[in-house]
Amino acid sequence: MRGADLIHAGIDGLESLQTPYGFNASDVETGHYAALYGRDSLWVVLLLCESAELSSDPRLRALLEVSGPRVLAALAELQGSTTDDSVEEQPGRIPHEYHRVPSPHATAMGLPLAGGRSYGGFDETFLFVLAYDAFVRAFPAHAIAEQLWPHVRRALRWIDDYADPDGDGLYEYARRHPENLLNQVWKDSWDAATHTGFDVPAQPLAWLEVQAYGYAVLSSATASRDRALAGASDDCAERARVLAEKTDERYWLGPEHGYAMALDGRKQPVRMVASNPGHALWARIVKSERADPLIARMLKPDLMTPYGLRTLSRDSPFYAPFAYHRGAVWPFDNAVFALGLAKYGRERDALRVADALTEAMSQLGSPIESYAVLDAKDFVSPDITGPQLCWRHWPPQNRVQAFSAAALVVFGVLQSVMT
């Protein structure tokens, strides 16, 4: 499949997951995440909005017009209203997940829930503002723009009041309850960040991509409107500039390492060569003079395979090809990277990523959550001479993952407009 066929395959996958609150994060039959997950849902909206900017496909626009308000309204309804450290809730914070009835997987994880809700995700509130802003740009006359504005202002207040607890100008968090997720960004497995392979970096952690999302929020029309109402219309642009300068100063490790994945609680960089800078490109926080060396580094074969960008370089001593966030390939992560490449004028490279993921999805037959790409040296057989695609389970878990299906739409749109 290519182009329009890929777009419609992605839309088919999303339509199979539709609910009154937007989308289940994965299918009911094989998936672990048949519930509302804030991050997954917001990335679906963001990826569809960016696709709709590039494509006039009527089915894509129709899906976005219906599902976008459902996602945003559902998350607004569940927005934090009090302080409850047991589930990481604060006023204005957007939920990480909501289960009307906790699934066996959610129960087995033992994640604390209050009324089915957990707020153990740090990036969702930033993404909520960005998804609202993107949807309103696509549908400026939609009633949701004014209906949700009070919730957006509360989200912006949460960012100001809670997302920089030490006041150093960077966005960071520390887990508030020991049973909640240790890492509260999309790379949320406990071992996603490490200095030595055996340590857990001291919190609070300031992840690179959250600085990027914060920069995008400060650069958005939504934040500017909020600050203008507060009588500080120039404040956002200056804060965005300062954040970009701090990020470049503190995270850039040079052309061979690109950006640090995060800063730990001692403000020391986590020097893992990983896919996180793709999100920085997407949010446009990367300085123009950094873009070319960063992209060249990310496209080296230790990260970029014939089937997509790995989450962690195979040259890292902590690389594990089947590990969730230390080597596996995620379609949604690649879609964010591809869109970031296009924003920096690297259309050929964006198309290369789209083609690589199209080949992988064609072989897998479904927009699953993640998969592994093994190198020839990982096999005993002398007949294997190049990277091979593998999946984590068979039959695959999460056969249809919402933001993987949205990624298919992105790849199809990029192929349609760039070839």
Side-chain angles (χ1 to χ4, degrees):
M1 292 186 294
R2 291 185 64 82
D5 291 337
L6 203 60
I7 294 170
H8 288 277
I11 292 173
D12 287 344
L14 288 169
E15 288 181 339
S16 74
L17 301 175
Q18 283 198 94
T19 72
Y21 48 75
F23 305 98
N24 280 332
S26 66
D27 64 294
V28 174
E29 291 79 12
T30 68
H32 287 314
Y33 311 117
L36 171 61
Y37 281 76
R39 180 183 301 118
D40 301 55
S41 297
L42 291 167
W43 270 118
V44 170
V45 175
L46 285 164
L47 295 178
L48 292 183
C49 283
E50 299 221 4
S51 297
E53 286 185 9
L54 300 171
S55 171
S56 59
D57 189 295
R59 194 177 166 203
L60 166 57
R61 191 167 178 84
L63 175 65
L64 177 58
E65 187 172 15
V66 171
S67 63
R70 287 180 180 173
V71 168
L72 293 168
L75 294 172
E77 183 178 351
L78 297 165
Q79 189 173 25
S81 60
T82 188
T83 299
D84 182 353
D85 287 351
S86 70
V87 292
E88 310 276 338
E89 181 179 5
Q90 293 113 22
R93 189 166 182 167
I94 295 299
H96 173 61
E97 58 190 272
Y98 170 65
H99 302 263
R100 285 186 171 88
V101 178
S103 67
H105 178 71
T107 302
M109 282 190 65
L111 191 70
L113 297 172
R117 295 165 292 123
S118 168
Y119 295 83
F122 185 62
D123 50 349
E124 280 94 342
T125 309
F126 296 88
L127 296 174
F128 177 77
V129 176
L130 295 178
Y132 170 89
D133 192 64
F135 184 83
V136 171
R137 284 200 311 273
F139 298 96
H142 200 288
I144 205 76
E146 290 307 315
Q147 290 171 8
L148 293 189
W149 176 244
H151 295 276
V152 174
R153 295 202 76 187
R154 290 178 64 208
L156 290 166
R157 296 283 75 73
W158 178 87
I159 292 172
D160 284 347
D161 294 345
Y162 290 95
D164 179 16
D166 64 4
D168 70 342
L170 298 173
Y171 297 116
E172 65 257 315
Y173 69 87
R175 179 173 61 172
R176 292 169 176 259
H177 189 282
E179 292 184 10
N180 285 312
L181 292 170
L182 177 68
N183 291 317
Q184 297 185 4
V185 292
W186 86 264
K187 290 185 176 178
D188 59 4
S189 32
W190 70 271
D191 60 350
T194 182
H195 290 298
T196 67
F198 301 99
D199 71 310
V200 174
Q203 291 194 344
L205 285 184
W207 290 77
L208 171 66
E209 61 267 35
V210 179
Q211 315 316 309
Y213 306 155
Y215 173 83
V217 166
L218 291 170
S219 303
S220 71
T222 295
S224 295
R225 176 186 175 190
D226 175 64
R227 299 305 292 171
L229 290 172
S233 57
D234 296 331
D235 185 51
C236 280
E238 176 61 14
R239 288 174 64 191
R241 185 193 68 78
V242 171
L243 178 59
E245 289 292 336
K246 284 180 178 289
T247 301
D248 186 73
E249 176 185 340
R250 303 299 298 275
Y251 289 78
W252 181 250
L253 301 176
E256 281 307 305
H257 289 87
Y259 286 101
M261 176 188 284
L263 302 183
D264 69 11
R266 300 178 181 88
K267 307 301 179 184
Q268 296 302 305
V270 178
R271 297 173 173 268
M272 299 171 77
V273 178
S275 64
N276 304 60
H279 293 238
L281 290 167
W282 173 80
R284 299 184 180 178
I285 196 174
V286 178
K287 286 186 173 184
S288 57
E289 62 266 30
R290 301 288 193 219
D292 284 346
L294 173 65
I295 292 168
R297 178 64 192 90
M298 295 187 72
L299 292 176
K300 287 186 176 182
D302 60 311
L303 267 178
M304 184 62 194
T305 78
Y307 301 106
L309 188 75
R310 292 180 169 116
T311 44
L312 182 65
S313 165
R314 73 177 179 208
D315 294 340
S316 168
F318 321 130
Y319 168 69
F322 289 96
Y324 223 32
H325 300 118
R326 288 190 294 115
V329 176
W330 289 61
F332 113 87
D333 189 32
N334 277 260
V336 175
F337 180 43
L339 289 168
L341 289 168
K343 291 176 183 182
Y344 280 80
R346 301 291 290 265
E347 287 85 359
R348 289 181 60 185
D349 293 320
L351 188 59
R352 174 184 169 188
V353 175
D355 289 346
L357 270 291
T358 300
E359 177 60 28
M361 292 295 98
S362 296
Q363 291 193 34
L364 294 169
S366 182
I368 66 174
E369 183 181 39
S370 62
Y371 52 88
V373 179
L374 303 183
D375 295 300
K377 64 181 179 58
D378 298 320
F379 294 88
V380 175
S381 173
D383 297 329
I384 294 178
T385 58
Q388 301 293 306
L389 180 65
C390 297
W391 42 91
R392 296 179 60 246
H393 304 286
W394 186 257
Q397 300 294 334
N398 305 324
R399 177 173 50 84
V400 181
Q401 190 83 4
F403 56 19
S404 294
L408 290 187
V409 176
V410 171
F411 302 136
V413 166
L414 292 177
Q415 289 172 344
S416 295
V417 301
M418 293 182 180
T419 54

